[in-house]
Amino acid sequence: MTVDSLVPAPRFHCWTPPGVYRPQTDTALLGRALCRERITSRTEVLDLGTGSGALAVEAARHGARVTAVDISWRALAATWCNALLNGQTVRIRHGDLAGAVPGHRFDLVITNPPYVPAPPADGPPRGPARAWDAGPDGRLLIDRICALAPTVLRPAGTLLMVHSHLSGVEETLGRLGTAGLRAEVVDRVRLPFGRVLHSRLTWLRESGLVADRTTEELVVIRAAHT
């Protein structure tokens, strides 16, 4: 598998304003997993941390009823515009993860959370970095998603989450299992470090997160009720 084969193809118009995460290989990898799910006009999808809304629009194109959540108003504006530009209907909700949809459960939850390990800082990430920085272990939001997944999934519901091997794939599988979900890696790709990882390579090595290798493996984890 080549990295080029996973770069999002311009199958529909996706407008990404400054400060909003631009669809990249992780988006495409998660989109490929999404396309393998059985989606009908009755499928309710929750896109946690929707960013540009690319995956929300893709799910809507497959016929799903989609709710897109983000804590960034700018991201939600981009999602609204991209849904409109592509003739799709996406329900927009502002808030912190599932707190934006209290009491609601979904057939499919998709999420591309921040997962890049970042040096310790005073306070949470700010600005564009909020889309990728995820604390020293890369799990700032991943652990929360693992814990809340059973509360937002219907009995036959499915979670699809993408993240890097640098943020602990086995730990995610274990946490989802502890939460009562059957979890497995269903897709993966290895690619060279991008700009962000290269910019903190010294810290990553000092922290023991990487050795000499300057590639990362992205994975998609699929989890469902046991």
Side-chain angles (χ1 to χ4, degrees), residues 6-8 21-33 55 111-116 131-132 161-164 189 191 216 218-220:
L6 284 172
V7 174
Y21 187 71
R22 179 176 58 84
Q24 298 184 49
T25 303
D26 50 2
T27 315
L29 192 66
L30 186 54
R32 186 164 72 179
L55 290 168
T111 183
N112 181 3
Y115 55 71
V116 178
W132 56 79
M161 174 165 53
V162 62
H163 69 75
S164 169
V189 66
L191 67 162
E216 68 171 331
L218 301 179
V219 305
V220 175

Side-chain angles (χ1 to χ4, degrees), residues 62-127:
H62 281 76
R65 291 179 285 175
V66 184
T67 300
V69 169
D70 208 292
I71 201 167
S72 164
W73 285 107
R74 185 174 295 190
L76 292 177
T79 300
W80 183 85
C81 288
N82 285 323
L84 184 65
L85 288 170
N86 291 282
Q88 302 299 325
T89 299
V90 174
R91 185 170 63 169
I92 307 297
R93 292 291 181 268
H94 177 261
D96 182 22
L97 298 179
V101 286
H104 291 268
R105 290 178 180 262
F106 298 84
D107 302 297
L108 177 61
V109 176
I110 55 176
T111 183
N112 181 3
Y115 55 71
V116 178
D122 295 329
R126 295 181 178 276

Side-chain angles (χ1 to χ4, degrees), residues 108-160:
L108 177 61
V109 176
I110 55 176
T111 183
N112 181 3
Y115 55 71
V116 178
D122 295 329
R126 295 181 178 276
R130 189 165 56 177
W132 56 79
D133 279 357
D137 60 0
R139 302 189 62 86
L140 186 65
L141 291 184
I142 291 173
D143 289 343
R144 292 179 57 199
I145 293 169
C146 290
L148 68 81
T151 70
V152 294
L153 288 174
R154 288 177 174 156
T158 300
L159 167 74
L160 293 174

Side-chain angles (χ1 to χ4, degrees), residues 132 193-200:
W132 56 79
F193 279 0
R195 175 183 57 83
V196 173
L197 287 174
H198 269 298
S199 71
R200 59 190 60 166

Side-chain angles (χ1 to χ4, degrees), residues 175-224:
R175 284 179 177 267
L176 289 169
T178 299
L181 302 177
R182 181 180 65 257
E184 61 180 331
V185 173
V186 295
D187 210 345
R188 64 180 76 224
V189 66
R190 184 167 289 278
L191 67 162
F193 279 0
R195 175 183 57 83
V196 173
L197 287 174
H198 269 298
S199 71
R200 59 190 60 166
L201 186 56
T202 299
W203 175 80
L204 289 167
R205 286 175 171 162
E206 290 174 349
S207 301
L209 293 172
V210 301
D212 295 328
R213 177 176 285 179
T214 55
T215 60
E216 68 171 331
E217 184 177 61
L218 301 179
V219 305
V220 175
I221 292 176
R222 184 182 191 275

